[in-house]
Every structure is written in C-alpha cells, then in structure tokens.
Amino acid sequence: MRTDFALVLTAVLLPLLLHTFRGTNGEQVSKDPCRPGFSQSFYAVLISRDVVQGQNIRKDTTVASQKVKFDDCMGNGGVVFQSSDPSFSVRTDGSIFAQGDRASLDEPVQFKLTAVGPHTHIWETVIQLALIDPPSPQQNGNEVTKEEGKVAERKERKETFRAPPTVIMFPRQSLASSKGLQRQKRDWVIPPVNVPENSRGPFPQMLVSIRSDQDRDISIRYSITGVGADQPPNEVFSIDPVAGKMFVTKPLDRELRSSYHLRAHAVDMNGNQVENPIDLYIYVIDMNDNRPEFKNQVYNGSVDEGSKPGTYVMHVSAFDADDNTTANGMVRYRILSQTPHSPIPNMFTINSETGDIVTVAAGLDREKVSQYNIIVQATDMEGNLNFGLSNTATAIITVTDINDNPPMLTSRTFSGEVPENRVDVVVANLTVIDADQPHSPNWNAIYRIISGDPSGHFTIRTDPVSNDGMVTVVKPVDFEMNRAFMLTVVVANQAHLASGIQSSLQSTAGVTISVQDINEAPYFPTNPKHIRFEEGVPAGTGLTTFSASDPDRLQQQQIIRYSKLNDPADWLSINRTNGQIVTTATLDRESAYVKNNIYEATFLATDNGSPAASGTGTLQIFLIDINDNPPALVPREAQVCERMNRNTNSVNITAADADTDPNAGPFVFELPNSPLSVRRNWSISRINGDYARLGLRYQVYLEPGVYEVPISVSDSGNPPLSNRSIIKVKVCPCDEHGDCTTLGAVAAAGLGTGAIISILICIIILLTMVLLFVVWMKRREKERQTKQLLIDPEDDVRDNILKYDEEGGGEEDQDYDLSQLQQPHSLEHIISKPPGVRRVDERPIIPESQYPIRPVVPHPGDIGDFIHEGLRAADNDPTAPPYDSLLVFDYEGSGSTAGSVSSLNSSSTGDQDYDYLNDWGPRFKKLADMYGGGDDD
C-alpha cells in the first residue's frame, strides 16, 4: 500500500484556467504591450499515451507539442531556463523535453521552471505534465442516428479535452524493507488554485479533491483551516470530510481579497494525524468589474490666451479598482467633446496614459471665448471601447487674460475749465476703453501728462471703478499768468503689453483747459513785515506804512481798505485808506504781550470787488530795550547765625532786572549811610558782577531776632537806575551744622523764654478747659436721655406739652377692652405670660419713641417748632394710644382707700387770685392780663 499523500486536480480546474487566460465574452483581447515574463503562471500539459512508448521516455524526447511562452522584450538573448525536476526541462524555444534517461510519466509530474535573464532578472512558472488515454471507437455495432453521432462526437471531444484527476504526491519518506532501500519520491510543487472572481456558480463549486493513499486501509476525515475557512471571512471555502472535495461557497471579490492561504489536514476517526498538513494557495483571478473613477467630477484649469500649441493646461486622473497589472485596470483617456467649438472643435488634446491636457492649436482669445468645457472619458481595458468600462468627468478650462489690448481713449481731444486759485478740482474727465479683463493690471489705466504743464499744475488720477482719467488741479493757476493750458495726455496699462502687441494711436489725446478769472484777495507783498523800534515810543508815533496789492491787474482798478484784525495790547492803529500804522500807546518791551522782544499785530486788506475779497498781513515790531526798569534785590528774606564762622553768618544776594544787557548787570550793591547801625553791624562784599555777600561784621553780636537791612542796588544802564530794597535777615543761634535751633528760631521771632513758657501754659490750660467742657456736655446729654421726655428743671416755667404715664385710670375705666386699641405686635409679651391674672390694659413694653430734646436756651420763636416736633413724634410713636381714644395707665393695684376722682369737675366757680402771675415775668404777662385783670396802662 502506498503511503504518499496525493492531491488530485479534478476536471473542473482546467476550464477555470482556460477561462482565466482567455479574453472576456469568449473573445481574445487586443494585443498587450510587451511585458517581460512567462505568459502564464501555471501550465497544465496533457500528453497522450501514444507519445510515450514504454515506461521510460528517451532522453531529449519532446513530450508535448504545447510550448511554454516566454518573452523578456529583448529578444530572449542570454535567457536560460532552469528546471526543478531532473527528468524534464524546457528548451529556449519553449518545447518541453525529457532530459534524463529514466524519465517517466506513470504519475503526474509537476516542476518549477525558472528563467534567468542577462540582467539578473528572474521569472518563474509551474508546469504540470499528465498522461491521457486516446479516444476509443464505439464497441457496439448498434446504429445511431446522425444527430446522435454528432452529440456523441462532441461529448467524446469534450471528454478528450478534460484531464483526468491528477494526483500530486507530497514529500514522504519510504520505510526500509528487507529488500533494501527504495527510491525516494521526488518533491512536488503544489500549484496555486486560480478562481475567477464574480463567478455565477452554481455554488458550492468544486475546486480540488484531496485524497490520502491510506484511505484504502483506514477511514480518513479531511478538513481545511485558515482565512476563508475557519477564520473570518468564514465558510468561503468548505471541504467534504469524507471525499476530500474542496468547494468555494460564494462568489469571490478580488478587490476585497486577492488570495487565500489554506491548510489541508487528514486525520483518522480518532483524530490522529495521518498525513502532514499541506499548504493550498488560492488566487482570485481579476475580472473587469470596476469602472474607472475620477478623483473629481469637475476639474478646473487655466491657460493664457494666445498660448502656443503644446502648452500644458491641466491634469485629470482616474482610478480603477481592478488589477492594474492586467488590462482590467489599465486606464486610457480621451476627450469626448469641447464646448464651445471656437475657433476649432479640437483646441485641446489629452495624453491617453497620463491624463495631461495640452493645447493643440493656436487662437485662444479670452475676449472671444473666456472658458471651455471639456468632457473627458476614462476607459479601462487599455481604452478598448468594445470590452472596457468607461466613466466621464468635466474639465473647465479658463482662458486667462494677457495684456493684448492697449487702452484707447474715446476721443482725440478733451476740454475743461477751472477757476483760478482753486486746488483739488476735477476739470476734465478722460474716458478710455480696454477689452482686457476688467479691474486687472491688464485693464487698469495709468495716465500721464507729457507736455503742456511744465509747472505741474495738473495731475490725472484714475477712477478705480470706471477706469476714467480725472484731470485734477494740484497747484493753483493764475488767470493773469495763464488763461488756458494745452495738455498732451498718454494712457497705458498698469501691466506691460504682451510680446508683439503695439500701442494704439488712440492712446494719446489733447486736453484744453480754460482758466476762469475770479476776484482775488489783496495780498501784502511783504508778509510778515519786520520793523525795529525802541520801547517807550510815545503814542501818536508813525511806525510804517503797511500796504497791500491787488492781483487782479486785468480787472477795473479796485479800492483797498485797511482795518486792524488783531492787536493784543491795543498799541497800534492803521489808516483806512493808505495803511499807515501809528502808535496809540507807549510800547513796552517788558509787556506780557511781547514774546522774544517781538510784538505781533495782524491787519486786514479788503477790496470792493463782487464779491469782496480780503487778505491778511502780519506786522512784527522788534522792540529795542532801554533802561527803564530799576533792579530789585533778591532774596527779600535771609537767615544768619549769631555766632559762627564767616561762611555761616553771611548770605549771598543778587538782583533781578526786567531789562536786558547792557541795561541790567553787573550790579552795584551798597549799604546806605543812615541809619548808622546798618554800616556798623553789616557789611557787603562783592563776589562777581551779579552777586554780593551780606553778613555781620566781625566780632559783632546781635540778639536773635529779625532785622531789616536796607540795600541800594544799581544797574549798568546809561544812565544807571538804582533801587533801595529792604532785606529781612533773621539772626538766630545755630547748631554745629549751621542750622537754626528750634528755640533759636522762636527767639529769632522776637519772644523771650518767659513769653514762650507762658504761651505753652496757656495752651495747656485752654486744652484742659475744652476737654472738661466736652465731658460736661456728654454727661448732660446722658442725663437728658435718662429723664422722661419734656421734664424741665423746676426753675423753667415755660409752657410745654408734658407726658404723664404714672397715673392709673379710674375704677369705671377698667370695664373697657383696650386690647383693640393696641398694635398686634405689642401684645406678644402679654400673650406669652404664664396662666394667671392678665391685664389687657397694660402698656406695651417696647422701646419708646425718641422725642425731641428742648434746647437749654431756646429762641422765643422755637417754641412753635418744638411743639410741632413733639406732636409729630407722638403721632409716630407705636407705644402711644391712638388719638382721641382711651389711654392706658399703669396698674396700681386694688383696694385703694381713696375715692374715685373720675367725677371731679375741673371748672373753677370760686374766686381765685391770679395776681401772683405778674411776678413770674413777661412770659406770663398774657395769663396775668387774662385772669388777674392785668396792669393799667
């Protein structure tokens, strides 16, 4: 019994392989471009037994007419074939031959063939050789019809074409026997199983049959593992565990998965491994089932107008999900249509392989056609329209503008007018046309004045919207100088003209501008006008004549009138007709209106034109200084020490003079001759021209105090001016640093030690009195708050509103329910009392209202205000009973021995002497008059 594990290829494999290597729809595809390598990755060669005579095939015998096709696209020069089988190989012409003496085909033979090129390139394929029996004639002599014969003939041919099951023996070591060593079987190369995608079935469809040669002795169970079997995606492949037939259960999609790797297992009924697992490789053969897909449905490109043929425009690309190594995934491009068909229908072409679109003709003109729409078609199968699948996309090509149209003025002449002395006025509008792209550098116009305006009175600005040229005045024009201007204007684009484009004659035009005469304002020829005068000039002095001129020389002579516009100090006046300026006050250089020795005034000149015009002129008077201000001593107060060295018992002095050099310094400082004590106690020594030192004479001691020292100061004017000034010098004792001590400063103020002590004692007494007064006021205020409101001292007999709350009500008043007159929140302390006797006429225990406090010594008119304030406080008092109602009195207990006083009559019927009211003073005089009769007048 043989112990080899064989793989039997069933007859269904061959039709699948043939279907793979033939074109779709049963037709041969168009010839592919040369691709180096074998034409097939697997060759199944069937050899008739008539070719093989005997068990062994002779050496160098060609075993099959079928050849292996190989092409390295270089003439196959230097290509060598190498076989993995020592018995069979392939010649350079592709014929299969026996290269050993003991070559045999008793069993199918499979080997790998390698082609080695001269440039180290290597290509491989698998060849399988198998024997088939020749067809045998019919053995029976029964007659058959003609039609049956044809059917039998077709069936016979079909059976002849179908290969018998092929058993591939896998490597296995033979066991040693007593007869000696047996030959080891050669190694087999397992061919891959090729399965076309998108098969229509029926399913399950058998692929291969797996069998072990031990199934004659024991029962074997077959199984497969791997992706597609027991791993996701599961159950794509299945196997009959008894017969070993492997099936595909559904259509395959190469775009989802292009290959599968499975392992076949053979075990006995106990699960014990009978054979070593073998590897099965299943390749999904690509079918043309995917159309090319463009990355974008719309592509945008651009090309300059006037571009030459062959100019690159844009690129389009499409992707095909099919195998790009086969015709199924090879995409080719072509242009289906162009819109518009101007100037010709085929302005562009496309590279069929790369998808690059280029121009093929001249004549692109943006002004005629600014955009092209091109329909591009992508077809697989290398562009074969009969078998390939197609898809389309749109390419939008924009023709970009170049400056091939020069700007042209709409007229050869333009005109305008401008008033004289006006600026920023548009006097003429130049219109231009340009066929290029609006609002682009090729369209934007730039205007230049090339002649007629040497002084630069005009400029031309471009309107950004309309592209028109606006002739604008930038420098005032004068009718008396130029009555008209003849300008030559040229226009060009912001961008240079394209190569080969010439400027148009219409790019140049003439512009005539007329100047309008207007009444111009008079002007002062010298403005500002400078004059020099000494200060102190008296009023009525003529300074100068400040006259103006009229620029309107061509008009009728006009009259100019003058007036004063600004004269800060009101020192000047101007003659209305001739412009003569006269002083009205004395000019003073030291005035606040003079800045840097210059006094400035402004005058107005007005003509009698229609309308009247006026101009201003400024007169600047430089005032020359004279010695009219005496110097003043600086400082006016100083401090020296009574006994110190020479540097600390003196002070530096100087002088201030409102005049300037040479009427100011150097100054002369002198002490007057009287009184004599000045020169006896003080001395002045010169430091420089502006400073001197005032100090106590040597060994002179002065009591601390303030001394007034007169000093005479003279300037250097011609004649010089003098001024006698008083400087207050404070003499005080100093410390070691030369600073006045505090006691010394006080003493210097003119007070002795006893006076100082007296002042301090008075201050202490005053502070003590103030403190006692404040304490007394606080205590008095506290006593007033503790007393009942409106309780006055016994000696105060003024009429007041008094409040009494210490008396109880009469016995007859106890029958009233006073709780209704109380506020609700005032009953809480009553309700919360423990059970027992409860009085509902008790006064609520809440803080009383703060009534106003009567002043100690009130003004007689304050009595009414005091009463109103007390009334307002009583009305807002929550503890007081309502107005005109029963009063609540404190409970005084029961069992009083006194009788009821409720029925007492308050009227007086007897004689009562009220004359004593006259003794109470003038405040009770009214009562005394009413009750006592008063005093006779």
Side-chain angles (χ1 to χ4, degrees), residues 412-418 427-428 430 448-455 457-458 460 471 477 482-490 508-515:
R412 298 302 300 272
T413 59
F414 296 88
S415 62
E417 59 181 10
V418 55
V427 298
L430 312 181
R448 291 185 300 111
I449 300 175
I450 59 177
S451 65
D453 185 23
S455 300
H457 291 282
F458 304 95
I460 303 179
V471 182
V477 295
N482 295 287
R483 298 188 181 185
F485 292 87
M486 301 295 296
L487 308 180
T488 301
V489 177
V490 64
T508 304
V511 181
T512 302
I513 300 176
S514 302
V515 181

Side-chain angles (χ1 to χ4, degrees), residues 196-260:
E197 66 172 335
N198 303 325
S199 175
R200 297 184 178 180
F203 295 100
Q205 183 178 2
M206 192 178 75
L207 301 179
V208 294
S209 178
I210 301 174
R211 186 179 63 83
S212 173
D213 55 2
Q214 298 188 40
D215 58 357
R216 303 172 185 174
D217 302 328
I218 59 176
S219 296
I220 295 179
R221 294 295 182 265
Y222 302 96
S223 63
I224 55 176
T225 59
V227 176
D230 61 343
Q231 299 178 19
N234 297 336
E235 299 180 355
V236 176
F237 302 97
S238 63
I239 189 171
D240 187 338
V242 177
K245 297 179 180 181
M246 190 174 73
F247 301 89
V248 58
T249 61
K250 60 180 69 174
L252 302 181
D253 189 352
R254 191 203 67 85
E255 286 70 42
L256 296 179
R257 192 175 185 87
S258 60
S259 64
Y260 296 86

Side-chain angles (χ1 to χ4, degrees), residues 73 148 217 231 371 480 552 560 600 613 661 749 791 888 925 933:
C73 299
E148 291 175 349
D217 302 328
Q231 299 178 19
Q371 190 177 86
E480 288 71 28
D552 295 316
I560 300 177
E600 188 174 277
D661 292 335
I791 299 299
V888 178
K925 185 175 183 302

Side-chain angles (χ1 to χ4, degrees), residues 765-879:
I765 293 174
L766 180 61
L767 292 177
T768 303
M769 293 176 64
V770 171
L771 180 61
L772 293 175
F773 180 76
V774 171
V775 172
W776 179 76
M777 289 296 295
K778 291 291 184 181
R779 185 173 181 181
R780 180 181 175 85
E781 183 69 21
K782 186 175 181 181
E783 291 177 355
R784 285 179 176 273
Q785 293 179 359
T786 55
K787 292 182 178 181
Q788 296 295 331
L789 187 63
L790 300 178
I791 299 299
D792 299 327
E794 296 180 358
D795 56 349
D796 194 350
V797 294
R798 293 178 300 174
D799 292 338
N800 292 287
I801 298 175
L802 303 180
K803 177 184 176 184
Y804 299 95
D805 55 1
E806 67 275 7
E807 294 184 359
E811 290 78 3
E812 298 177 0
D813 297 336
Q814 302 301 324
D815 298 333
Y816 293 97
D817 184 10
L818 301 181
S819 62
Q820 301 299 325
L821 301 177
Q822 296 176 342
Q823 296 182 1
H825 62 271
S826 63
L827 299 176
E828 294 179 359
H829 69 286
I830 301 176
I831 299 174
S832 60
K833 282 186 176 183
V837 179
R838 177 180 299 173
R839 295 294 300 265
V840 295
D841 56 347
E842 290 180 344
R843 181 174 177 270
I845 303 176
I846 59 174
E848 296 182 356
S849 177
Q850 295 296 325
Y851 288 84
I853 300 175
R854 185 179 58 187
V856 178
V857 184
H859 189 273
D862 293 339
I863 299 299
D865 295 337
F866 179 81
I867 294 174
H868 287 296
E869 289 290 335
L871 180 60
R872 187 183 302 110
D875 292 339
N876 298 326
D877 186 6
T879 63

